Amino acid sequence: VFETNIRYVGGLLSAYDLSKQDIFLKKAVELVDLLMPAFDTPLGLPWQMLNITTGQGSSETVGTSSTNLAEIGTFQMEFFRLSQLTGNATYHEAAQKVITVMLEKNSPQDPTSKYTIPGMYPIDFDMMSGRFTGSSAYWGGGGDSFYEYTIKTWFLSDFMLHRNLDIWRESIQALREYGLAESSDGYLFPGFVDGAKFYPYVDTFTNFIPGTLGLASKLVGSDTYFELAEQLLKAGYSVFGKMPSNLGAEAIRFVRRNVGSDYLQLSAQGRAQVDAYGISLERPYYVLRPELIESLFLMYRMTGKQEYADMVWNIWQGIQRNCRVENGFVGTANVATDAATTGVLNTVDSTESFWFAETLKYTYLTFADHDVINLDQWVFTTEAHPLSRTFAFDGAF
């Protein structure tokens, strides 16, 4: 349900905003109406999977009602825009009810709650009880687009959805206080937070943070948080820039400054990688993911700093060398090798739709005229579908 929304519904709504052809809006309504039975649950929280023939929902983990923060929280943008375009508040209300239930059922003041740090929402969630089932909070995979959509829906609402801004502010403050650590070579990275414990593990999904934080900081006028966005961007790029391939691993571990146990806990191979690159490659493959290019594009547009465009170009050259095959582009299994010396080998032979929707689009837009999808007039969904910010919204549909 989540993937259908971000890839298909978002694409149809963006096509409508860009073209004004009614067929795209009509099909978006038809598709979302097929998805709405997923929300027909005791608390209005959506199933992960839906049989659209029977209307029967299920979890990806058979026999459970488990889901995660990103999958329940990433309907807000598309459903808001659909309500705005149709005048039917049902869609927006369904997406916002998810957030209402999450907040009502979980409190850091509740001694039985897994949610212990205000603003640091755990990833694992049960959609029948409305409660978090684990205590690990993370802005990467499983949590990322919840935070992204919280603030971007505020953008899209012409700054009317004040609860979204409040959640974002609390969350970004918690991230800054509890969710970041400096590496031994001087970069500031996010990591896993489990209660009071920090784990120096980071995946490439966290690279959405700098661009989104930069946009939010510009709109609320926070120089401090914009500087933080630039720090996180440089850390994210270091994972790519240190590799012979100019491509970044799916996930890494880093050694925190003055925390020698981080190094000792690594395998022999991990320690050797830290000695060579400053990071351990936990998942050494690159599968054409867009998040770093997205943030570099956004920050280049906002600052005009040529170094950010140059970084995109370096990544693009790495993709061309290591991921281009006869009939298209694929992933590479090991970013620590480079096709310039080895030839293209050990490919990951699949191409996800985000390659076309996001990676290529953000690369192109980096070097296009700044009036092409002007950031003052458009905001991108998590799948890089631009939605217009020029629709007036007075708080009602």
Side-chain angles (χ1 to χ4, degrees), residues 3-35 77-79 81-82 85-86 149 357 361 378 381 383-388 391:
E3 295 287 358
T4 300
N5 178 59
I6 65 172
R7 300 190 191 215
Y8 292 95
V9 177
L12 289 166
L13 290 171
S14 181
Y16 174 76
D17 275 4
L18 289 163
S19 72
K20 298 297 183 253
Q21 294 185 29
D22 290 339
I23 186 62
F24 294 117
L25 178 57
K26 177 183 176 182
K27 291 301 179 183
V29 171
E30 289 178 8
L31 182 52
V32 173
D33 286 346
L34 287 173
L35 297 179
M77 289 187 76
E78 292 85 0
F79 281 29
R81 173 45 48 86
L82 192 59
L85 293 174
T86 62
Y149 270 38
K361 186 183 299 173
W378 299 86
T381 70
E383 204 71 6
H385 302 305
L387 298 178
S388 175
F391 287 85

Side-chain angles (χ1 to χ4, degrees), residues 118-363:
M120 291 293 284
Y121 297 97
I123 296 172
D124 297 322
F125 195 83
D126 181 82
M127 43 80 62
M128 284 299 178
S129 69
R131 302 268 290 181
F132 292 109
T133 57
S135 55
S136 292
Y138 187 49
W139 280 57
D144 48 0
S145 51
F146 163 78
Y147 297 104
E148 179 185 5
Y149 270 38
T150 295
I151 192 62
K152 285 185 174 179
T153 307
W154 179 68
F155 301 165
L156 200 60
S157 74
D158 201 20
F159 316 116
M160 292 290 291
L161 297 179
H162 300 298
R163 181 177 71 172
N164 281 54
L165 178 60
D166 292 342
I167 293 171
W168 169 264
R169 280 177 162 160
E170 184 177 60
S171 294
I172 201 66
Q173 288 168 5
L175 175 69
R176 187 181 183 189
E177 184 172 354
Y178 300 102
L180 304 176
E182 185 180 357
S183 67
S184 58
D185 54 352
Y187 291 102
L188 190 66
F189 285 108
F192 260 97
V193 176
D194 193 342
K197 192 164 185 178
F198 180 94
Y199 294 90
Y201 171 95
V202 59
D203 64 30
T204 194
F205 297 107
T206 61
N207 283 315
F208 90 90
I209 300 173
T212 300
L213 177 57
L215 281 172
S217 301
K218 286 290 188 184
L219 289 170
V220 302
S222 173
D223 292 340
T224 298
Y225 278 102
F226 195 84
E227 291 171 6
L228 177 61
E230 293 202 277
Q231 285 182 278
L232 294 171
L233 186 65
K234 290 174 181 176
Y237 180 73
S238 73
V239 175
F240 283 64
K242 291 176 179 179
M243 292 297 110
S245 62
N246 291 120
L247 303 175
E250 181 85 350
I252 66 157
R253 286 187 186 273
F254 62 96
V255 173
R256 287 170 287 177
R257 182 176 294 279
N258 299 324
V259 184
S261 59
D262 288 348
Y263 183 81
L264 296 175
Q265 289 169 6
L266 295 170
S267 66
Q269 181 183 42
R271 292 194 295 271
Q273 290 171 342
V274 168
D275 293 342
Y277 309 119
I279 53 176
S280 167
L281 308 180
E282 296 295 295
R283 301 184 199 170
Y285 52 87
Y286 173 74
V287 290
L288 306 172
R289 291 205 188 275
E291 288 80 10
L292 181 61
I293 297 174
E294 169 191 355
S295 282
L296 287 166
F297 153 68
L298 291 171
M299 296 296 279
Y300 174 55
R301 281 279 183 96
M302 286 183 281
T303 67
K305 291 183 179 179
Q306 185 60 38
E307 65 181 294
Y308 296 147
D310 291 343
M311 289 173 181
V312 173
W313 185 249
N314 290 340
I315 296 169
W316 177 246
Q317 292 300 303
I319 291 171
Q320 289 279 4
R321 289 196 310 274
N322 294 280
C323 302
R324 187 164 192 164
V325 293
E326 182 178 359
N327 297 311
F329 290 82
V330 296
T332 181
N334 187 359
V335 297
T337 62
D338 185 55
T341 56
T342 65
V344 175
L345 47 80
N346 295 327
T347 56
V348 180
D349 294 326
S350 65
T351 307
E352 291 263 8
S353 68
F354 56 68
W355 162 248
F356 303 99
E358 301 184 71
T359 310
L360 287 175
K361 186 183 299 173
Y362 285 130
T363 302

Side-chain angles (χ1 to χ4, degrees), residues 66-79:
S66 63
T67 184
N68 63 61
L69 180 63
E71 293 201 42
I72 63 168
T74 310
F75 294 92
Q76 297 179 70
M77 289 187 76
E78 292 85 0
F79 281 29

